[in-house]
Amino acid sequence: MYQNERSTVTRRDFTRLALAGAPAAIFLSRLPLSAAAKINSRINGVQIGAITYSFRSMPAEDIIKAYVDIGLGEMELMSNHAEQLAGAPAGRGGGGGRRGAPTPEQQAERDAAIKTLHDWRMSATEATFKPVRQKIQDAGIELKLLCYNMNVKTTPDDEIEYAFRMAKALGVSAMSTSTQVSMAKRLAPFAEKHKVRVGFHGHANTTNPDEVATPESFETVMAASKYLGANLDVGHYTEAGYDPIPFLEKHHDRITNLHLKDMKKASNGGGYTPFGQGDAPLKDVLKLVQKNKWDIPVNIEFEYPGDPKVEMPKCLAYVKEALA
């Protein structure tokens, strides 16, 4: 998309521009994006990026442009955005859901959409997703993680295998997933077969033992395989009533990435807030990663109300100030 916006500069062009004394900005503006420098959002030693879920209201192509505009150089790519960029058919079909039970016609439409998408996934190859990675790289962004959410009751084994094949085709260093504790035993052999690390994302439901939320639930997951770790969400962990600092100190080598968001503790009513207005120790977390030089991507996850194109730069500015 972006390469078409900039013409390629030949050696003759370069010589002509240099002899004419043309400003460097003019020259750089004509470079293809693949030849431009990578976006550097490593702030004083800490790799800062974002999960594409932060821009969920936008088409995938526009999300890439938003990363460039904001200056985010590392991406955690949601699987639905990866599939959208790869030309997958429309999702799971409409009708029903939270608004009520679907009609028979709506259910039939949804079932057909599910089958169509499943068939597309089963036919996908490495070549399906290589152009996706190239598009992101051409924008100057490092594609570090794939987020593929799974459910122990509804995700079949062939789609688990597909998730790992997608991750390898995209060339990511790890996967993240929102799923259940009991999914660890199912995922372990896939992770070991493909030698891909998986970070389990935590939420704040501490009453269900199959939900990843407590320190003990994370440790149960990690005990299932050396390839299973934690995608520690600082906001949700705080909301659940826990301090992310001791968790980081104890398990930093098993953390695939952090999700950085601010939230209030459940005892304070819970809920998302702009950075610095909740109970999450965001600055302490950032400084700890910086102090110990841990190679852990810190990905901003925007969830409080507002326009991500307006609010994400504010989040990034907060992080820069914290790491100054």
Side-chain angles (χ1 to χ4, degrees):
M1 179 176 74
Y2 304 106
Q3 287 184 349
N4 293 334
E5 296 175 5
R6 304 183 183 187
S7 58
T8 301
V9 179
T10 66
R11 290 182 181 179
R12 183 179 298 175
D13 291 329
F14 178 81
T15 302
R16 177 172 53 80
L17 287 167
L19 291 174
I26 296 176
F27 171 71
L28 290 173
S29 72
R30 298 185 61 190
L31 279 172
L33 200 55
S34 58
K38 292 181 180 178
I39 300 169
N40 181 14
S41 59
R42 184 176 288 275
I43 302 170
N44 291 330
V46 181
Q47 178 59 68
I48 304 298
I51 182 170
T52 58
Y53 180 74
S54 299
F55 302 91
R56 56 198 170 276
S57 61
M58 300 163 56
E61 294 278 1
D62 292 347
I63 292 175
I64 295 175
K65 187 176 186 302
Y67 272 65
V68 175
D69 292 343
I70 294 169
L72 293 165
E74 182 265 314
M75 177 182 286
E76 180 180 356
L77 180 63
M78 293 288 294
S79 61
N80 62 306
H81 294 141
E83 290 177 331
Q84 190 181 128
L85 290 167
R92 297 285 187 175
R98 294 181 180 178
R99 297 179 181 178
T103 65
E105 293 78 12
Q106 288 173 333
Q107 187 61 53
E109 179 185 353
R110 185 181 180 192
D111 291 344
I114 290 172
K115 184 180 185 307
T116 298
L117 181 57
H118 179 79
D119 291 346
W120 182 89
R121 287 172 170 171
M122 295 305 101
S123 67
T125 66
E126 184 176 359
T128 306
F129 291 104
K130 276 202 168 183
V132 175
R133 180 175 181 82
Q134 191 63 52
K135 185 184 290 287
I136 293 166
Q137 285 183 326
D138 286 350
I141 303 164
E142 181 182 10
L143 179 54
K144 196 80 172 176
L145 296 118
L146 169 69
C147 177
Y148 195 105
N149 294 330
M150 308 181 206
N151 186 289
V152 71
K153 294 181 179 179
T154 59
T155 304
D157 282 357
D158 57 3
E159 292 202 2
I160 296 176
E161 173 67 19
Y162 161 77
F164 281 91
R165 288 193 288 108
M166 184 199 300
K168 294 183 78 172
L170 289 169
V172 297
S173 60
M175 290 169 58
S176 60
T177 185
S178 288
T179 188
Q180 296 77 34
V181 175
S182 56
M183 194 66 161
K185 290 183 179 179
R186 284 185 60 195
L187 281 182
F190 290 95
E192 290 165 5
K193 169 187 172 183
H194 292 284
K195 294 181 171 54
V196 173
R197 297 171 67 214
V198 182
F200 277 53
H201 182 277
H203 289 95
N205 184 351
T206 59
T207 60
N208 184 344
D210 202 29
E211 289 294 322
V212 183
T214 66
E216 294 77 18
S217 62
F218 276 109
E219 290 176 356
T220 298
V221 165
M222 291 188 282
S225 170
K226 67 179 181 180
Y227 286 100
L228 302 186
N231 164 209
L232 184 66
D233 186 302
V234 174
H236 285 304
Y237 200 68
T238 299
E239 184 188 27
Y242 301 104
D243 184 350
I245 298 297
F247 189 98
L248 265 165
E249 292 173 333
K250 183 177 181 180
H251 299 297
H252 58 88
D253 59 335
R254 300 294 296 274
I255 294 175
T256 55
N257 63 303
L258 298 178
H259 279 177
L260 199 70
K261 67 164 72 81
D262 206 353
M263 298 186 72
K264 293 181 179 179
K265 294 178 181 179
S267 58
N268 288 341
Y272 306 107
T273 73
F275 280 25
Q277 297 182 25
D279 297 316
L282 302 186
K283 291 185 178 180
D284 291 342
V285 165
L286 290 165
K287 297 297 285 186
L288 185 65
V289 174
Q290 182 185 51
K291 174 186 174 182
N292 290 283
K293 300 180 180 180
W294 290 328
D295 188 20
I296 301 174
V298 179
N299 292 335
I300 298 169
E301 185 173 28
F302 168 68
E303 294 204 68
Y304 62 87
D307 181 346
K309 290 184 289 185
V310 174
E311 298 302 322
M312 284 291 284
K314 296 179 184 177
C315 297
L316 185 58
Y318 178 95
V319 171
K320 287 180 178 179
E321 182 180 349
L323 291 171

